[in-house]
Amino acid sequence: MRILLIEDEPEMASVLKTALERQDIIVDHAATLADAEAMARLGYHDAVVLDRRLPDGDGLSLIPRLRALHLDVPVIALTALSGLDDRVAGLDAGADDYMVKPFATVELVARLNALHRRSFTTRANQTVVGRLTYDFRHREALVEDHALELPRRERLVLETLIRRPGRTIMRGALEEAVYALDDEIGSNALDAHISRLRRKLDDVAAGIEIRAIRNLGYLLRAAS
């Protein structure tokens, strides 16, 4: 999952970002409505978590702008405004959920996961290529019902490639899926993740090959 966190308090933003990333959630952070809208326009995110009190306005004002851009990403409003009228205003503005500070990070993660699961109602939950089954709901790679242990970024690479087996995924699209916008990415970091992933797939005879497509990206398909 990749989320857009809109929070102007640096300490709160840092705590949330760290806690969410420990749960394998990629976090892009914006401190203002203007920055948030620019990031949201990229269409990368599975959910938005926004504070209401921002330096350049009420966070809720972003929601109609997202909808006008045909971005149907779910939104959780995260705020110290706890009154009934405030909660109703948040939901009426289009927020999918509303959490009042202070809150438990574990509850925020649970609510994000619940919103993310809803997005699978119209998608296949599993894809099979070669001898490998990828379970998108549980985010597991299985070979003959045995789970393949993968570090987060290698799993994100596999997840991105296996969504479109047999088709070239551009290098930029892979980097967007694996790294947050403010991550420092080494020139060969993605290649190193893919190299390690290939070795692990070969070790379990997954029947998959990941081909480099020169000057474009990578393609995953069943081994011939």
Side-chain angles (χ1 to χ4, degrees), residues 18-62:
T18 299
L20 293 171
E21 287 177 341
R22 285 177 181 157
Q23 300 298 317
D24 287 348
I25 297 172
I26 296 175
V27 181
D28 294 321
H29 172 238
T32 66
L33 283 170
D35 287 347
E37 184 171 354
M39 290 184 184
R41 282 175 177 270
L42 298 172
Y44 294 161
H45 303 102
D46 299 301
V48 172
V49 176
L50 61 81
D51 188 20
R52 286 196 58 179
R53 291 176 169 170
L54 296 169
D56 49 349
D58 188 334
L60 295 180
S61 67
L62 179 66

Side-chain angles (χ1 to χ4, degrees), residues 141-159:
L142 306 166
V143 176
E144 295 184 350
D145 296 326
H146 295 289
L148 181 60
E149 295 295 327
L150 295 173
R152 178 172 67 94
R153 284 179 171 157
E154 289 173 31
R155 180 171 48 73
L156 289 170
V157 168
L158 176 61
E159 185 174 288

Side-chain angles (χ1 to χ4, degrees), residues 67-78:
R67 304 308 179 228
L69 293 167
H70 305 290
L71 295 170
D72 294 325
V73 58
V75 175
I76 297 179
L78 197 66

Side-chain angles (χ1 to χ4, degrees), residues 94-142:
D96 297 89
D97 204 347
Y98 197 100
M99 292 186 67
V100 176
K101 300 176 182 178
F103 59 89
T105 306
V106 65
E107 182 180 0
L108 174 60
V109 170
R111 293 187 186 216
L112 283 168
N113 285 333
L115 289 175
H116 196 227
R117 282 195 298 271
R118 292 179 201 168
S119 70
F120 287 101
T121 57
T122 58
R123 298 188 218 166
N125 289 329
Q126 294 185 340
T127 296
V128 179
V129 180
R131 297 176 61 243
L132 184 138
T133 299
Y134 193 86
D135 184 329
F136 290 98
R137 182 179 293 276
H138 299 103
R139 308 192 77 182
E140 283 187 324
L142 306 166

